[in-house]
Amino acid sequence: MSWHRIPDHENSEEDETIMMTSVGEDDTTAHLLREDASVVHRRELITNINNMSLRRRLREGMRSRPSLSTLSKRAKEERKYKYSLVSVLVIGICLIMMVNIGLGYRKCESTNEEMYHPPEIHKLKQCIDSATGLPFPWQNYRLPTNLLPEDYHIFLHPNLTLQKYTAQVAINFSADKTTDYVILHSRGHTFKRVQLGFQNSKEKHLVKQTLHCSNNEMVAFKFGQVLNQGQNYQIVLDFYGNLTFSLGGFYLSKYKRNNGKEVVIGTTQFESLDARAAFPCFDEPAFKANFSLSMVREPSFKTLFNMPIESTNDYEGGLKIDNFGSTVKMSTYLVAFIVSDFQNVSNVTAGGVEVSIYSSPDKISETEFALKMACDVLDAYENLFNIPFPLPKMDLVAVPDFAAGAMENWGLVTYRETALLYNPATSSIKDQEWVATVIAHELSHQWFGNLVTMEWWNDLWLNEGFASYMEYYGVDMIHPKWKFFADFSATTVTAAMTQDSSQFTHALSFPVTDSRKVDEMFDSISYNKGASIIMMLKDFIGDEFFDGVRDYLMKHAYGNAENQDLVAAVAARDTDNNGDIQVIKAMINAWTTLAGVPIVKVTLKDNKVSVEQSRFMYPDGSQNLPETGLWHIPLTYVTNISPQKATRKLLTQKSSSFDVPKVEWIKFNHNRVGYYRVAYDKGMWNMLINQLSQDHEVFSASDRVSLISDAFVAARVGNLNYQDAFRFASYLQSEKDYAPLILATTHLGYIDEMLKVGLKEEQRRMYEKYVTYIFTPLYYELAWKNKTSLSRMQLKLQSTIVSLMCSYKYEPCLTTAYAKFRNWKENNVLIEAEYMTTVFQSAIHHNLVEDWDFMWNAFVNTTDALLSNKLLSSIGMTTNLQKIIFLQEEMLKGENIRSQSASSLIVSLTSNMVGGSLTWRFVKQHWDEIVKLHPVASFAMRSIVLHCLTTILDEGEIVGAEAFFKSKGIDDMQYVKRTLEKVRINIQWFKQHASVIGKWLKQNENSWHSDRP
């Protein structure tokens, strides 16, 4: 599943033309294409895997289906949320906020330092059935393993108008142990009839007792007879449920056609714990089974499922019923089905898989890039892993309302529209890269996650870490000229280290002892740290690493795996340690089971280098910081003697030392492949800074990324004074590579953010002058130039530098951007995609109500998802109190502002002090309403909490936030602790550095001139 890195900056590139078979063309063509020689070879490979007992048959015949029942009663129509804001209270809040801003923040000192405590295992309260008062027969957060599912047949009859559905699920299972109960996961279902019998037998027994455990979302059925060990049974459940716009389970999504007509569709999102919301099931990754489906639909709609359709029949009331064959053996969270009026384009891969891209009819022309990318990536992965994709088709669907970026359902991958559709008119280069990235990520999951699935969510990194690495690898294989991997160290590694620098991070393989907190595992550690560790291991081990990964996939195909399974497979293939597999096992174990990121302190005296490892954390005022064990760190370093040829050493102890020849400088962590920070002594920093100022290209672009990160981090924690950090930054006037510059703007932006939140307006004005001075040469080299004269990397830099200079209020930039806005507003002249967001934000900067209203109307009326996103992220940056309150009300209504966009709106609302203060109060006031749409541990809620608290630099505000989270019962959640810790880190930084930076700015202000060169 893709959660991370929704693009912020815009660029553009011409689309690619591909050959495809679209709907309506001769269906025989696609069939014949699948029957060529390459397909025969592909089938032979699949047969070979079968013969090695690694999997079941590709498709099993559907078992005899139970008779379909018609429910006589309809569920009550789900109540619509009604929202209102008390105007007097809001005005009062606004006035209080304005007074606070005018007077500055109160300074509250806390005498009680918060101490770190290791996370406790969640102690489950006894689960009692609320209807009977009887104790639930199973008190564990995970299902018992006495029953093992084999296959499901699901019948669904949705009514998209009445927002409800009737359903039946028949589950064939075996009893591994004797038991009295059948215990399943279920959420929100009303059961009409539940029957149990032997498989392939017509004799059924009605349920005698039904008990619910709402805490663990389980239901237990007792039938008056014992289920005997070794017997095969079938349970048939007739039930009905509601359809909502909740973004989870079986839910509703809607879109507007170009003619204004609104269309409602039904779609699914089951990862991690939402299959149980669609149908009762054994909803844990290890309970793999086969699934088949029968779906009732309107004649004008069509059904999609993980497998191809087998037949369509007439159904009562003029409806149709689509029947689908059985899937391969897989986990419940990978099941998916969609009922819609979508259209598709299709093509067939070299390996014989039919690939289709589905979208709403008006957007089908935006699917060409995705189709070619998907076909190419699928072929590339088959060749890389030497394991054929086992399904006959692969559908990729652009869903209008979708919580994540995408979801890897086997054979039916769902996406946000912005993650699959590419429109050259509104899509920039970075938008195109985002589409390519998400496709590469999700298709890699067909092997990492679908074919081999983690046994439990504690090893989620085995899915997401590999997919986050493969998204770069896959794009690089298909588009090598993009040099996409060059961004890895500046984006993925940086994101991982940011969260991993917290006390409240977690190891890659981490016990998840409470199913409530499963969603918290979908974070930067599982994704970005997982990818970073894979990159490091591949560099350290070499080609044997992927040999071990292939062994891992083959051995555990159609099954489940744990962290140690990967460790064993990779270690067995490593041949560089004299056959001692314990060396690599110890190394991988350390990196996957220890929390945190190490920092290596390096000192150089004469010709001796001394290194010492420890855990890195930003200071937050705490006295006792948690330590950890020792990492096995693959050190690399380059010197002026051989700046591109690294020397390698493995650091397994706390400290070590070694001799080097006399050098002018030495730089550690070559190309930032290692997952560790470096702390140089002052003399070494001076040597490195001098080299950068003389000729920065002696270092590779990735090494410059590494130096930028280490320098500014060292300044933040007090190991390098900011005067030297700014002296380091002077080299940036000569930097022309994208990755170093994008990371530098991030670190420079942190200082600007702290001065903003600290209300240091005069210092901030001087700092803006300093930053624009650094980047003025690059601005005039690239800004507003015709894209045909620029390389791809220059185009990415172009949009970045324009966005940066306008955000720092560089007047020539704002003037040009606003002129483009007026030309669009008054003359309908299209804004170039790469400048679109910057142009919109420049209009917000001018603070004219008529401009804001014009953009709001454009946002409401557009059917283009990318344009919609760019408009919303801009209008939310307003400082107009009435507009802020209006947007908050609209967010709650969920009509014009989709639920999936709530967190994006919060990010923009909190971009200034006016919106930030008011929005945090709004979120607290409407917390219960918001979490109904976004579960408390979801990515959206984590983003909302984080950005709401970024405007706090006051201990008193922290105490209030802690009390609020405690009142909501989430004060023990790790993301809440991390967010509060981050606020304390910011406070500590402000106390230590703000005045020092202010003094430096005042001393040097007259030396900065941002005139055109």
Side-chain angles (χ1 to χ4, degrees):
M1 183 160 58
S2 293
W3 281 109
H4 56 310
R5 291 192 301 98
I6 294 177
D8 298 318
H9 305 284
E10 283 70 46
N11 295 283
S12 181
E13 181 170 287
E14 298 175 0
D15 63 338
E16 299 182 36
T17 304
I18 57 174
M19 296 182 64
M20 58 189 174
T21 305
S22 62
V23 171
E25 294 181 356
D26 187 2
D27 293 335
T28 308
T29 305
H31 175 71
L32 291 175
L33 285 170
R34 290 196 299 271
E35 295 300 321
D36 62 14
S38 64
V39 181
V40 174
H41 174 64
R42 165 195 177 75
R43 288 174 177 170
E44 289 174 352
L45 287 173
I46 293 177
T47 301
N48 290 337
I49 294 178
N50 288 340
N51 292 337
M52 289 185 285
S53 300
L54 290 176
R55 52 157 295 177
R56 289 183 174 183
R57 290 177 296 121
L58 176 62
R59 289 192 289 173
E60 294 182 353
M62 293 176 61
R63 298 179 184 270
S64 58
R65 297 172 179 168
S67 60
L68 304 179
S69 306
T70 305
L71 298 175
S72 60
K73 297 181 180 180
R74 301 286 187 184
K76 294 181 180 180
E77 185 170 358
E78 185 177 336
R79 292 177 299 171
K80 297 182 179 178
Y81 293 131
K82 297 181 178 180
Y83 306 109
S84 63
L85 291 173
V86 181
S87 59
V88 174
L89 179 60
V90 172
I91 292 172
I93 291 172
C94 296
L95 290 174
I96 292 171
M97 181 210 64
M98 294 173 69
V99 170
N100 282 344
I101 293 176
L103 297 179
Y105 285 90
R106 62 189 182 279
K107 304 298 179 183
C108 299
E109 299 297 331
S110 174
T111 57
N112 295 322
E113 300 287 354
E114 177 177 311
M115 304 296 290
Y116 171 79
H117 300 284
E120 295 181 359
I121 295 177
H122 180 67
K123 298 178 178 63
L124 292 173
K125 296 179 180 179
Q126 185 180 24
C127 209
I128 303 294
D129 178 70
S130 59
T132 65
L134 296 173
F136 194 74
W138 183 254
Q139 295 292 324
N140 201 305
Y141 70 99
R142 294 181 64 176
L143 288 172
T145 57
N146 51 10
L147 304 180
L148 303 177
E150 296 175 358
D151 60 72
Y152 297 68
H153 179 68
I154 307 163
F155 165 83
L156 294 168
H157 184 173
N159 188 317
L160 306 184
T161 304
L162 297 180
Q163 300 185 7
K164 55 189 65 177
Y165 65 99
T166 59
Q168 182 185 84
V169 60
I171 309 173
N172 289 314
F173 63 91
S174 61
D176 194 51
K177 295 179 182 178
T178 299
T179 180
D180 292 326
Y181 289 92
V182 176
I183 300 177
L184 304 170
H185 284 114
S186 172
R187 183 198 306 150
H189 303 132
T190 301
F191 294 99
K192 180 182 179 182
R193 183 172 57 182
V194 180
Q195 305 172 81
L196 178 73
F198 291 107
Q199 288 183 23
N200 303 317
S201 171
K202 294 182 179 179
E203 182 181 356
K204 304 292 181 185
H205 300 275
L206 291 175
V207 65
K208 300 296 184 182
Q209 183 186 56
T210 302
L211 299 174
H212 294 269
C213 175
S214 58
N215 289 345
N216 294 333
E217 299 180 326
M218 294 180 187
V219 59
F221 300 105
K222 191 172 185 179
F223 295 90
Q225 67 175 56
V226 172
L227 283 75
N228 293 311
Q229 181 179 5
Q231 294 295 318
N232 297 320
Y233 296 92
Q234 181 184 74
I235 186 171
V236 181
L237 307 101
D238 293 283
F239 63 98
Y240 56 93
N242 293 320
L243 294 168
T244 70
F245 291 90
S246 61
L247 306 182
F250 185 20
Y251 71 96
L252 300 175
S253 176
K254 61 185 176 183
Y255 73 92
K256 189 181 293 184
R257 289 183 178 172
N258 291 340
N259 61 10
K261 180 182 177 182
E262 189 172 81
V263 180
V264 177
I265 69 167
T267 186
T268 58
Q269 169 57 36
F270 291 164
E271 192 178 31
S272 53
L273 306 176
D274 285 338
R276 66 192 65 176
F279 57 95
C281 56
F282 297 85
D283 196 14
E284 294 180 10
F287 287 111
K288 289 193 169 186
N290 305 91
F291 299 83
S292 58
L293 174 74
S294 294
M295 177 75 78
V296 178
R297 60 169 174 84
E298 294 283 346
S300 60
F301 274 35
K302 65 181 67 172
T303 306
L304 297 176
F305 182 55
N306 302 82
M307 295 296 287
I309 191 169
E310 287 191 337
S311 65
T312 298
N313 305 109
D314 292 332
Y315 196 76
E316 59 189 45
L319 302 175
K320 300 288 185 181
I321 182 169
D322 294 328
N323 300 304
F324 296 84
S326 181
T327 68
V328 294
K329 190 178 180 183
M330 66 185 195
S331 302
T332 50
Y333 78 87
L334 296 171
V335 176
F337 37 83
I338 299 174
V339 184
S340 74
D341 65 341
F342 286 178
Q343 295 180 1
N344 69 290
V345 294
S346 301
N347 205 344
V348 179
T349 69
V353 179
E354 183 175 19
V355 177
S356 300
I357 313 294
Y358 285 83
S359 76
S360 57
D362 292 335
K363 297 178 179 178
I364 199 68
S365 62
E366 301 175 24
T367 59
E368 292 186 8
F369 174 76
L371 180 60
K372 187 174 191 312
M373 183 70 192
C375 289
D376 290 346
V377 168
L378 206 59
D379 279 334
Y381 285 164
E382 284 193 322
N383 292 330
L384 177 66
F385 303 133
N386 199 27
I387 300 174
F389 178 70
L391 306 185
K393 62 95 176 177
M394 167 58 71
D395 297 333
L396 298 82
V397 186
V399 179
D401 297 281
F402 200 74
M407 176 61 209
E408 65 267 20
N409 316 299
W410 214 346
L412 180 58
V413 184
T414 43
Y415 296 77
R416 278 196 186 197
E417 289 184 330
T418 54
L420 189 64
L421 305 180
Y422 173 72
N423 179 355
T426 56
S427 300
S428 65
I429 280 182
K430 294 201 74 176
D431 295 327
Q432 185 187 40
E433 287 182 350
W434 173 241
V435 171
T437 298
V438 180
I439 290 173
H441 181 106
E442 300 306 326
L443 293 190
S444 75
H445 269 311
Q446 309 304 303
W447 286 265
F448 297 104
N450 298 9
L451 183 68
V452 180
T453 312
M454 74 270 145
E455 195 274 337
W456 180 241
W457 301 104
N458 58 303
D459 284 324
L460 178 65
W461 87 276
L462 294 174
N463 288 18
E464 299 299 348
F466 271 100
S468 298
Y469 175 80
M470 291 305 303
E471 68 186 42
Y472 284 89
Y473 200 95
V475 172
D476 213 45
M477 284 194 296
I478 306 307
H479 295 287
K481 292 182 179 179
W482 289 10
K483 298 180 179 179
F484 190 61
F485 234 128
D487 298 347
F488 185 90
S489 63
T491 54
T492 297
V493 176
T494 298
M497 288 185 175
T498 298
Q499 178 172 327
D500 224 13
S501 299
S502 168
Q503 295 183 49
F504 306 107
T505 186
H506 63 85
L508 283 175
S509 184
F510 179 74
V512 179
T513 55
D514 179 358
S515 57
R516 296 179 312 123
K517 297 182 180 179
V518 167
D519 283 346
E520 280 201 280
M521 292 297 290
F522 290 82
D523 63 3
S524 191
I525 300 303
S526 297
Y527 284 75
N528 297 313
K529 182 176 181 177
S532 301
I533 298 305
I534 290 167
M535 165 74 104
M536 180 177 66
L537 293 175
K538 181 179 181 297
D539 179 74
F540 180 76
I541 296 172
D543 293 339
E544 289 88 353
F545 176 78
F546 262 119
D547 292 337
V549 170
R550 291 186 192 97
D551 294 343
Y552 162 82
L553 291 173
M554 292 288 287
K555 182 176 181 179
H556 301 283
Y558 302 95
N560 298 85
E562 297 178 306
N563 186 65
Q564 289 303 314
D565 295 317
L566 177 69
V567 172
V570 172
R573 281 285 190 164
D574 181 42
T575 59
D576 292 334
N577 293 290
N578 299 317
D580 186 0
I581 66 172
Q582 299 307 317
V583 173
I584 195 63
K585 274 190 175 183
M587 179 182 180
I588 302 176
N589 275 324
W591 286 106
T592 57
T593 60
L594 294 179
V597 55
I599 185 167
V600 177
K601 181 181 178 181
V602 182
T603 59
L604 175 63
K605 187 174 182 180
D606 297 327
N607 292 343
K608 182 176 287 295
V609 173
S610 298
V611 293
E612 180 180 351
Q613 65 164 292
S614 61
R615 180 176 175 180
F616 174 84
M617 282 174 286
Y618 288 113
D620 69 345
S622 300
Q623 298 302 314
N624 298 316
L625 300 178
E627 264 296 341
T628 185
L630 292 177
W631 288 273
H632 292 206
I633 304 177
L635 297 177
T636 58
Y637 65 89
V638 291
T639 69
N640 60 290
I641 298 173
S642 54
Q644 298 303 323
K645 184 177 180 181
T647 301
R648 298 175 179 268
K649 292 184 178 295
L650 184 63
L651 178 63
T652 60
Q653 303 300 317
K654 176 72 173 176
S655 60
S656 181
S657 61
F658 51 89
D659 293 328
V660 295
K662 185 175 180 58
V663 293
E664 295 178 8
W665 53 261
I666 182 170
K667 192 271 171 191
F668 274 77
N669 200 0
H670 181 48
N671 287 331
R672 209 189 190 193
V673 172
Y675 187 73
Y676 59 95
R677 299 189 187 278
V678 182
Y680 300 97
D681 66 30
K682 185 174 178 60
M684 296 180 75
W685 268 126
N686 284 332
M687 290 188 286
L688 292 166
I689 292 172
N690 290 338
Q691 179 59 59
L692 282 167
S693 63
Q694 294 170 17
D695 180 9
H696 67 277
E697 291 187 340
V698 166
F699 302 106
S700 68
S702 294
D703 271 341
R704 300 198 298 274
V705 166
S706 176
L707 288 170
I708 289 168
S709 176
D710 289 334
F712 280 98
V713 167
R716 278 185 64 175
V717 300
N719 292 335
L720 181 70
N721 63 59
Y722 265 105
Q723 291 91 330
D724 286 332
F726 292 140
R727 184 164 64 92
F728 172 98
S730 63
Y731 109 85
L732 293 170
Q733 287 194 308
S734 303
E735 181 62 78
K736 300 294 178 66
D737 270 291
Y738 177 78
L741 281 171
I742 197 67
L743 184 61
T745 61
T746 299
H747 285 288
L748 291 169
Y750 176 79
I751 300 172
D752 180 62
E753 182 71 14
M754 290 300 96
L755 296 177
K756 177 190 76 175
V757 176
L759 303 178
K760 298 289 186 180
E761 290 305 315
E762 178 60 20
Q763 293 180 5
R764 194 179 181 210
R765 179 195 62 77
M766 291 187 289
Y767 186 72
E768 289 170 348
K769 183 178 179 181
Y770 164 67
V771 174
T772 54
Y773 162 74
I774 291 176
F775 293 108
T776 295
L778 189 61
Y779 174 81
Y780 283 106
E781 179 182 342
L782 297 177
W784 316 111
K785 298 290 178 65
N786 190 311
K787 68 179 185 179
T788 58
S789 63
L790 302 176
S791 67
R792 186 179 184 89
M793 186 176 70
Q794 286 178 317
L795 286 171
K796 290 170 68 173
L797 271 177
Q798 182 187 56
S799 67
T800 300
I801 199 66
V802 168
S803 174
L804 176 82
M805 295 293 274
C806 281
S807 70
Y808 280 96
K809 304 182 184 66
Y810 186 56
E811 195 57 39
C813 186
L814 289 172
T815 300
T816 303
Y818 190 58
K820 287 182 176 290
F821 174 81
R822 295 297 298 268
N823 207 18
W824 173 62
K825 176 184 173 184
E826 297 168 5
N827 304 314
N828 199 30
V829 175
L830 186 67
I831 303 168
E832 299 98 313
E834 58 267 29
Y835 302 135
M836 200 169 278
T837 300
T838 301
V839 168
F840 293 153
Q841 291 175 358
S842 74
I844 296 300
H845 173 76
H846 281 77
N847 205 28
L848 297 178
V849 172
E850 56 265 32
D851 289 343
W852 193 97
D853 290 340
F854 183 83
M855 283 191 282
W856 170 256
N857 290 329
F859 165 75
V860 170
N861 291 310
T862 186
T863 59
D864 186 290
L866 266 176
L867 178 59
S868 173
N869 280 2
K870 294 171 184 181
L871 283 165
L872 184 62
S873 68
S874 302
I875 61 179
M877 299 178 76
T878 181
T879 56
N880 184 303
L881 294 179
Q882 290 181 328
K883 299 303 184 185
I884 292 170
I885 294 169
F886 172 79
L887 287 171
Q888 292 170 349
E889 292 173 337
E890 287 293 316
M891 189 188 98
L892 288 179
K893 291 177 184 177
E895 294 294 329
N896 292 315
I897 299 176
R898 296 178 182 271
S899 296
Q900 69 178 15
S901 301
S903 61
S904 297
L905 176 63
I906 295 296
V907 170
S908 58
L909 284 172
T910 56
S911 63
N912 60 72
M913 296 302 295
V914 179
S917 181
L918 188 58
T919 299
W920 175 223
R921 289 168 171 82
F922 161 79
V923 168
K924 288 188 290 185
Q925 181 182 357
H926 296 279
W927 181 269
D928 293 340
E929 298 164 78
I930 295 172
V931 296
K932 286 180 181 177
L933 296 174
H934 304 287
V936 72
S938 66
F939 176 82
M941 282 308 299
R942 282 179 274 160
S943 178
I944 288 171
V945 168
L946 173 64
H947 286 91
C948 280
L949 296 187
T950 54
T951 56
I952 292 178
L953 265 185
D954 185 289
E955 286 285 356
E957 294 272 7
I958 296 178
V959 172
E962 287 177 323
F964 173 77
F965 293 132
K966 188 172 184 178
S967 72
K968 297 301 179 183
I970 62 168
D971 56 310
D972 63 330
M973 301 196 79
Q974 294 299 296
Y975 83 89
V976 171
K977 293 180 179 180
R978 280 197 305 272
T979 301
L980 293 170
E981 176 197 45
K982 183 176 181 180
V983 178
R984 289 192 169 93
I985 289 169
N986 291 343
I987 292 173
Q988 194 72 14
W989 181 94
F990 194 82
K991 289 177 180 178
Q992 184 176 354
H993 300 299
S995 61
V996 174
I997 289 175
K999 187 180 295 185
W1000 182 86
L1001 290 169
K1002 192 170 184 178
Q1003 291 172 348
N1004 293 273
E1005 181 182 13
N1006 293 332
S1007 63
W1008 306 321
H1009 302 285
S1010 300
D1011 300 328
R1012 181 167 188 164

